[in-house]
Amino acid sequence: MKYLSTRDKSVRLSAAEAIKMGLSRDGGLLTPETVPTMGEAFLQSLISAPYPVRAAKVMALYLDDYTEKELLSFAEGAYGADRFDTPAAAPLRKLDDSTYCLELWHGPTSAFKDMALQMLPRLLSAALEKTGEDKTACILVATSGDTGKAAMEGFADVPRTSIMVFYPKDGVSEIQEAQMVTQEGANVGVCAVVGNFDDAQAGVKRIFSDEAIRETLDRRGVFLSSANSINWGRILPQIVYYVSAYCDLLRDGAISMGGKVNFCVPTGNFGDILAAYYAKRMGLPVGKLICASNKNNILTDFLRTGVYDRNRAFYTTMSPSMDILVSSNLERLLYDLSGENDAEVRGYMDALSRTGKYEVSESIKAALDGLYWGGYCGERGTSDAIGRYWRGYGYLIDTHTAVAADVLEQYRAATGDRTVSVFASTASPYKFCDSVLSAIGQTPQGAGVGLLEQLHDTTGTPIPSRLAALKGKKRRFDLSAEKSGMDKVVLDFLK
Ligand SMILES: *Cc1c(COP(=O)(O)O)cnc(C)c1O
């Protein structure tokens, strides 16, 4: 199967090449030329399979230049007991007969990014082999908090790779920052950027498209690649857990084969919910895709009006990984919904970069309407939802998950739809102790890692062991730069 650029269909790459490059040279996103299908027999065969087998079988449908055996060995490594604290990797938690929570934070950095970023380095290393690449891959990452740490954890000391992470200086939680600046590994670098996530992401995208930097690095035997969710190797492992959740519901008798399930996803860059869309396109019986935003509700507006308009205030919220105004992965959806019309997508993206705004066609609007429901939850609502779930279910959720939980309730109130629904839980509450403690009526005593114990003592829930280990870890990085200085940071890092 080939991978095409959303902005130019004549760009055709193998899966290994697409994963190696991350982003197409024309700025487009590399996207599979066809969507494979899963029948009932396929799903049936996964019901009693362990998570790594589910992962290998689903991923093999897209990666025909990797063998299923190879993929299984990657998945067993990625989701093994030294990395994930449960063999289920992505367990479902039942709240009531029609409401489940898909816990995606059992990996090494306690955020859902691990689901893909434990897999991507393995896919990329194999891609270097498969394509006969002799250069070193440098992964450039712009992070709103969770991707950076998860990517470094995945790539640390992986041969023939290095990784440089940029995060917004005041846009991440103290625990997130502590996780990043204490990262071990000889091939990692971290830099704070003065600005917000969109500034960091724009800086990284610009470096990618800079010919002069490319040539300089080429002479040094290095090429740039991406671990952001623009890389197909990020989206694909995320499709797996939607399929896995469906299989778990079948196994537990919550639904029968063919029964529909809604997914509600706390959304930022549109990667996670795009993976759910692909699962649906592959034949998974999915009802509505419910797109949950925080106060930065650009996607809610887009899904309701068909107008994407980033000319608006940017808010820093208690769910920082969703503080995004340009959701890159929407481009893949537009490509698919436009009937793979690369010229149309190019038009939208040109308008976005020229005017900060575009309006999709009537046919895309109609398609969006059938597939999605968009809603948002502000700061107060997020905090209230954490308190409500703690008191009502004895279930402690983080600030991002709370947005999804609340928007799912809004959706049900607005539509009366009682279909079995799963909301994604994307981070451990221990990554956001401060907001979570306040939400359950406690006064935080201290800051950062100092709050882990308090949340544990108050709720009796376990502290993820790697977060507990942050206490007393030495800070290794103290670099910061203006947006305009990011080039130099990259060039110095790769000296
Ligand atoms: C990244 C992230 C999100 C948003 O996911 P996207 O794929 O960017 O839409 C939501 N919650 C948490 C905790 C995250 O780290």
Side-chain angles (χ1 to χ4, degrees):
M1 183 187 307
K2 294 292 184 196
Y3 287 75
L4 317 182
S5 165
T6 47
R7 299 189 195 177
D8 180 1
K9 277 202 278 196
S10 67
V11 173
R12 290 170 62 82
L13 303 175
S14 69
E17 285 168 321
I19 288 168
K20 190 174 93 178
M21 287 187 56
L23 184 69
S24 179
R25 290 274 171 93
D26 52 35
L29 274 59
L30 295 162
T31 299
E33 64 178 335
T34 53
V35 177
T37 52
M38 304 178 294
E40 289 188 357
F42 181 87
L43 291 174
Q44 194 72 44
S45 76
L46 298 185
I47 294 176
S48 56
Y51 194 86
V53 173
R54 292 176 178 175
K57 288 202 182 291
V58 172
M59 296 194 7
L61 299 173
Y62 284 93
L63 302 181
D64 48 13
D65 40 359
Y66 294 69
T67 65
E68 195 176 308
K69 189 157 160 254
E70 194 178 16
L71 293 171
L72 181 60
S73 83
F74 295 165
E76 282 171 341
Y79 305 115
D82 58 332
R83 311 240 162 194
F84 276 71
D85 64 14
T86 163
L92 264 187
R93 162 133 184 174
K94 180 175 179 171
L95 295 174
D96 63 40
D97 283 346
S98 62
T99 313
Y100 292 78
C101 183
L102 177 58
E103 293 183 349
L104 301 173
W105 43 262
H106 288 276
T109 76
S110 305
F112 96 96
K113 303 292 195 290
D114 290 325
M115 298 302 301
L117 281 164
Q118 283 299 317
M119 199 66 201
L120 179 66
R122 296 162 208 267
L123 295 174
L124 182 73
S125 284
L128 296 178
E129 293 283 322
K130 287 177 198 294
T131 58
E133 180 62 62
D134 52 10
K135 291 200 267 308
T136 297
C138 174
I139 315 299
L140 280 194
V141 179
T143 184
S144 57
D146 289 329
T147 302
K149 174 64 185 180
M152 286 192 286
E153 193 66 41
F155 279 101
D157 295 325
V158 171
R160 296 182 54 210
T161 71
S162 60
I163 173 162
M164 180 78 218
V165 171
F166 293 97
Y167 68 91
K169 204 174 174 69
D170 301 311
V172 301
S173 82
E174 284 176 71
I175 302 246
Q176 288 176 316
E177 183 170 35
Q179 283 184 301
M180 287 190 276
V181 300
T182 57
Q183 175 67 43
E184 289 164 25
N187 63 340
V188 307
V190 183
C191 178
V193 177
V194 181
N196 60 35
F197 171 71
D198 288 311
D199 293 319
Q201 176 158 262
V204 163
K205 280 190 179 166
R206 191 176 38 75
I207 294 171
F208 267 111
S209 57
D210 188 316
E211 281 300 327
I213 295 182
R214 193 196 307 280
E215 276 165 30
T216 306
L217 294 181
D218 195 65
R219 282 195 299 277
R220 297 181 190 170
V222 177
F223 71 95
L224 297 176
S225 186
S226 168
N228 277 102
S229 56
I230 51 178
N231 191 318
W232 178 252
R234 277 283 303 277
I235 302 298
L236 180 53
Q238 299 183 180
I239 297 175
V240 175
Y241 50 71
Y242 292 105
V243 178
S244 176
Y246 193 87
C247 292
D248 283 353
L249 289 170
L250 284 172
R251 183 198 60 202
D252 299 345
I255 53 170
S256 45
M257 184 62 87
K260 285 238 172 15
V261 174
N262 296 332
F263 287 110
C264 179
V265 184
T267 296
N269 222 3
F270 211 78
D272 202 2
I273 196 165
L274 180 79
Y277 168 76
Y278 279 110
K280 181 176 166 80
R281 282 271 272 116
M282 291 166 76
L284 195 73
V286 176
K288 277 285 182 204
L289 297 167
I290 301 161
C291 177
S293 298
N294 67 16
K295 193 177 176 192
N296 293 294
N297 59 356
I298 185 166
L299 286 166
T300 313
D301 290 346
F302 172 67
L303 291 171
R304 292 184 182 173
T305 63
V307 177
Y308 196 90
D309 186 357
R310 63 157 304 183
N311 303 302
R312 59 175 71 212
F314 176 92
Y315 301 106
T316 299
T317 72
M318 66 176 90
S319 44
S321 300
M322 299 161 70
D323 291 345
I324 292 177
L325 292 183
V326 179
S327 299
S328 300
N329 268 298
L330 197 52
E331 184 169 341
R332 285 194 170 103
L333 181 69
L334 297 178
Y335 178 74
D336 210 45
L337 297 184
S338 67
E340 297 163 13
N341 188 334
D342 50 357
E344 185 175 332
V345 172
R346 217 160 49 230
Y348 296 143
M349 294 305 131
D350 284 350
L352 183 64
S353 70
R354 269 197 338 270
T355 66
K357 186 175 166 175
Y358 62 85
E359 177 166 9
V360 294
S361 68
E362 290 306 318
S363 74
I364 292 185
K365 282 183 200 169
L368 288 173
D369 223 36
L371 291 159
Y372 288 89
W373 193 85
Y376 74 98
C377 174
E379 294 290 270
R380 179 70 191 280
T382 306
S383 189
D384 286 352
I386 295 171
R388 206 160 60 239
Y389 274 71
W390 176 241
R391 289 188 308 272
Y393 298 105
Y395 188 41
L396 195 64
I397 55 178
D398 95 295
T399 48
H400 304 75
T401 309
V403 169
D406 188 75
V407 169
L408 176 58
E409 289 174 17
Q410 292 180 36
Y411 167 75
R412 285 173 162 167
T415 62
D417 182 359
R418 302 307 298 175
T419 305
V420 171
S421 297
V422 175
F423 63 95
S425 178
T426 48
S428 158
Y430 281 91
K431 287 194 91 164
F432 305 94
C433 294
D434 200 321
S435 305
V436 171
L437 278 164
S438 304
I440 59 172
Q442 301 292 312
T443 307
Q445 312 285 333
V449 290
L451 295 175
L452 295 168
E453 297 278 332
Q454 191 188 348
L455 189 55
H456 168 71
D457 291 344
T458 314
T459 62
T461 54
I463 309 178
S465 61
R466 301 216 193 193
L467 293 184
L470 279 176
K471 258 192 158 169
K473 246 193 163 179
K474 242 184 86 197
R475 184 177 184 121
R476 287 188 66 209
F477 301 96
D478 208 2
L479 200 58
S480 89
E482 298 285 335
K483 193 174 156 190
S484 58
M486 290 170 63
D487 300 25
K488 184 168 179 307
V489 170
V490 170
L491 290 171
D492 288 350
F493 174 64
L494 294 171
K495 271 228 171 82

